[in-house]
Amino acid sequence: LNDLTRQRNDLLRTSSHDLRSSVGIAQGAAFMLDFDNQSPEERAKLIDMLNRNLASIESMLQSLMSLARLEAGQETVEVGQFDVGKLLHELAERMQPFAQQQGLPFLVNGPEKIEIESDAEKISRIVQNLLMNALTYTTTGVVSLSWVKENDRRFTVSVQDTGPGLSDTMVSSLVGALKPTQDSALVFDSQTLPIPPLDDSPGAPRTKSRATSKGEGVGLHIVKRLCEMLEANLDVETAPGKGTLIRVRFPTQYRKV
């Protein structure tokens, strides 16, 4: 309980710092717009800065509200039968424009059809949070999404990026309350980062450093809580300067209580 309380306090402290930073930048841009001597180009840059930081604030507040609902037990599992392969393909298509905006190759590999019984909306939120983090904080290199049906009971979704990796604190916070999978692929043993075994695309190029705050912790905590609700196993492999691979193993049928 002490560890969970400390993790929650650290998360709130980091989120508060990020919110203050974004609010401060937005206030500065709004203040500068009041000056009459700004050129049209300068005003356009200030307006763009203002819009980007307001969007960042809105996104972070939505994430904090979502996490608060999960922590308070206000969300329930809505079980239904659906094609998760189709869901993931459609999600990947929606993420492609953002990947192009970031200048990152976005590799997608998985079967077209996997019929399961689970909560489609929560699976979509898990994968979207993982992809948003990977695409936002990987400055150069590649991001990949892959999935496969392991057997009649489990299917796996993997998200990998070529960033510098997650901190030990973040990893322990993610897997602390979950049982990690035991059959690790050890994809970071070599000097160059390969694409995960579930994706047969070519290896990834070098990367620059990546920020590990700005809402990333909130998104990953949301992933953790949603995985707990869906009885999914979370496996994190990360290495400094090489990247991060997160696998989520979902049951194909949700056990109704």
Side-chain angles (χ1 to χ4, degrees), residues 22 48 79 89 95 101 104-105 133 142 156 161 187 192 196 208 210 227:
S22 293
D48 180 63
V79 178
H89 273 293
M95 298 299 293
Q101 182 182 353
L104 290 169
N133 281 335
V142 67
T156 299
D161 64 62
V187 296
T192 57
K208 299 178 182 178
R210 150 184 166 183
C227 285

Side-chain angles (χ1 to χ4, degrees), residues 38-53:
Q38 300 286 351
S39 68
E41 293 79 11
E42 290 171 332
R43 293 183 70 85
K45 289 180 180 179
L46 289 170
I47 291 172
D48 180 63
M49 185 186 303
L50 183 61
N51 287 332
R52 282 188 286 110
N53 280 276

